[in-house]
Every structure is written in structure tokens, then in C-alpha cells.
Amino acid sequence: AMNDDLVLARPVRPQHFFTSGGLSVHHPSPVMIGPDDDADQGAHMRMSRRARQVLEAMTGQRPMTRLTHTPHALRRSMVELLEQEMPHEFARASSAPFRGDELSIPSFLYPYWALLTGRGIWGHDLESGYFNTAQQR
């Protein structure tokens, strides 16, 4: 999955997103999830917080590393499996007309779920940069 605010500036290869054995590769941010993340009320952070809460309830583990703002590797079969485990959350996310408190499945839920359940691994070979266009210069 790739958000509409991403640009690929260099060629990417399948190895950036999947292992030869089919595991999805997810890219960690150098920034850890901190207590301020739970205080932030922006839609992006609310969805991240909600995914962490759901995953902690499901797996007993809470993600502590942020993900980079990059494309996310998704396997259709794994998304289908995840949907079978939580159909009400998928229904809620698909019926929401705008971002809010529902789960962001491709950006938060799936990557963290894959990592916490051994269906994904951390990758470290994808360079990325984030430019905040709302920031004053």
C-alpha cells in the first residue's frame, strides 16, 4: 500500500518489501513510540494509538518503534487472515468516510501485526526522507 503523499525517487526492488520466503518487510523509524504519542490528538496519531491498543489486546505485545513514512508491504492472504480475526474492525474502517478513530489497516495494523506475529520482519535497506510541508521555514 502506498499513500498518495509518497514519491519514489529511486528504483525499488521486491527485496525492499518482501523476503525470498514471502515475509513482508517493514521499515523502522529511528524514533521510538513515546508517551507524547498517546497525547497527540491528530487523526494520524489516533489511528496509530488505536492499532497499538488492538494489537496489545490480540497479542499481549505493544509496538514500541514507529514505522517510516514509506510504502507498506501487504500480502493479500495475510490481509484476508487478519480480516477473519477481526471482521468488525475491518467493517468499521471500510465504512468510515474520513480518517478518525478507526484502524488504519495498511499503515499501522497490518505492519505491526505482521511484525508481532512473525509474518513480517524489520528491514533496514530502504532510504527515506520526510518533508513536512506544513512546517514554517
Side-chain angles (χ1 to χ4, degrees), residues 36-135:
D36 291 346
D37 288 355
D38 287 337
D40 192 320
Q41 294 303 308
H44 177 81
M45 295 309 291
R46 286 194 314 268
M47 288 188 297
S48 174
R49 181 173 47 252
R50 177 110 169 83
R52 291 193 315 268
Q53 291 166 345
V54 166
L55 286 165
E56 187 171 24
M58 282 177 68
T59 68
Q61 302 174 70
R62 189 175 179 99
M64 297 306 295
T65 303
R66 287 188 191 184
L67 299 165
T68 56
H69 192 69
T70 59
H72 296 285
L74 306 175
R75 294 194 54 197
R76 182 187 322 232
S77 60
M78 295 296 107
V79 172
E80 290 169 352
L81 179 62
L82 186 56
E83 184 174 14
Q84 289 173 9
E85 289 190 30
M86 50 180 30
H88 59 285
E89 294 290 357
F90 272 69
R92 182 178 175 199
S94 66
S95 67
F98 302 104
R99 294 194 320 183
D101 293 329
E102 75 284 348
L103 290 174
S104 173
I105 293 160
S107 298
F108 296 111
L109 185 66
Y110 179 98
Y112 285 131
W113 174 78
L115 290 161
L116 292 173
T117 61
R119 295 173 173 97
I121 64 166
W122 287 118
H124 298 281
D125 63 341
L126 186 67
E127 287 185 47
S128 66
Y130 179 76
F131 304 97
N132 186 346
T133 59
Q135 210 170 34

Side-chain angles (χ1 to χ4, degrees), residues 22-45:
L23 297 178
S24 53
V25 177
H26 304 281
H27 303 282
S29 167
V31 180
M32 299 299 285
I33 295 170
D36 291 346
D37 288 355
D38 287 337
D40 192 320
Q41 294 303 308
H44 177 81
M45 295 309 291

